[in-house]
Amino acid sequence: MLCAAVIPRPVAWITSRDPNGVVNAAPFSFFNVFSEDPALVIIGMNRRPGGERKDTLNNIETAGEFTVNIADSALAEIMVATAAGFPPEISEPEVLGLKLAPGETVSIPRLADAPVSLECALFEARALGPERHLVIGEVRALCARPGLFENDRKRMSVPHFDPVARLFATGYAKLSDPYDLPIPDWQSLSAKEDRG
C-alpha cells in the first residue's frame, strides 16, 4: 500500500561493473535526489526473492562508483527487461543491445541513449535490516542529451524530456501537462484572509 500511495516515483536505471569487467544495468524505483550541496542521490535496494544481495549493490560497494541513468518512455520496455533475473556473469546491456558510453568522471559507463545520466561516487552504503540497503551516491557529473537543458538558466526544457515514472506493481506513467505554481508571498495570503 505504501508503494501505491507514494507515486509517481523516478526510476534510477543504474549501471555498475563487477571486478571482471561485466557491466550490469538494473532499475530501482526507491530513488530520489537528496540534496544539491553536496549533490547526493539516494537509492533503496532490497535483496533478491531468494535472499541474496543484488549484483548492483555488490558492484557499487566493490568499485565505489556507479551511474544513474534516467530512462524516457522510448526506453521503458528495455529498462524493465533489465530487471529480469540475469546471472551475475551476464551483462544486461550486452544481451539487450544497449549502447554504452564511457563515463566522464567515473570508470563506469553510462547508457548512451538515456536522456540524463548522473555519474556517482559511493558516499555511503548502509544496511537497514536484513532485507534492504540504503545507497547514497555523490553526483560527480551530469550528462544530458543535447538541447535538454537551458544552460543560461540551468533549467531543464521539460517538453523535450519524457521520463518514466514508477507507480506500483507493473504500473508506470508518463510526465504530461506540466505547469508552474510559484510560491506566493505569505503576506499577500494573509491580506487575502483579512479581506475575507
Side-chain angles (χ1 to χ4, degrees):
M1 292 191 311
L2 180 63
C3 292
V6 183
I7 58 172
R9 296 187 307 278
V11 181
W13 195 10
I14 298 177
T15 45
S16 62
R17 183 167 38 215
D18 76 7
N20 297 317
V22 176
V23 176
N24 174 273
F28 295 86
S29 68
F30 287 111
F31 157 70
N32 218 313
V33 62
F34 186 68
S35 76
E36 74 271 1
D37 188 16
L40 300 176
V41 294
I42 54 173
I43 305 113
M45 296 185 181
N46 61 343
R47 289 182 178 255
R48 291 183 180 276
E52 62 273 7
R53 288 164 46 115
K54 291 192 174 176
D55 304 333
T56 302
L57 178 60
N58 292 334
N59 295 346
I60 289 172
E61 287 186 335
T62 301
E65 53 188 17
F66 59 99
T67 298
V68 173
N69 304 276
I70 307 295
D72 58 12
S73 293
L75 295 169
E77 191 172 331
I78 199 164
M79 178 196 73
V80 172
T82 62
F86 285 86
E89 67 277 8
I90 302 295
S91 169
E92 292 88 349
E94 187 175 319
V95 169
L96 298 171
L98 288 163
K99 292 183 282 187
L100 299 174
E104 299 289 330
T105 63
V106 298
S107 67
I108 308 301
R110 60 188 167 86
L111 297 172
D113 292 328
V116 176
S117 298
L118 309 173
E119 297 183 354
C120 300
L122 177 61
F123 186 85
E124 184 176 347
R126 175 179 296 205
L128 301 178
E131 296 296 320
R132 184 155 302 269
H133 274 75
L134 176 69
V135 173
I136 304 173
E138 183 173 3
V139 180
R140 296 288 173 86
L142 186 154
C143 303
R145 183 180 290 158
L148 197 56
F149 279 89
E150 300 171 18
N151 290 336
D152 54 335
R153 295 185 340 144
K154 295 189 172 143
R155 296 272 174 100
M156 181 175 284
S157 180
V158 174
H160 301 291
F161 190 38
D162 183 24
V164 175
R166 183 81 160 101
L167 298 177
F168 53 90
T170 58
Y172 293 84
K174 294 175 73 163
L175 179 68
S176 62
D177 301 324
Y179 54 92
D180 289 331
L181 280 177
I183 299 171
D185 175 63
W186 72 270
Q187 292 170 322
S188 67
L189 295 174
S190 181
K192 280 183 188 176
E193 191 168 304
D194 289 344
R195 291 192 300 267

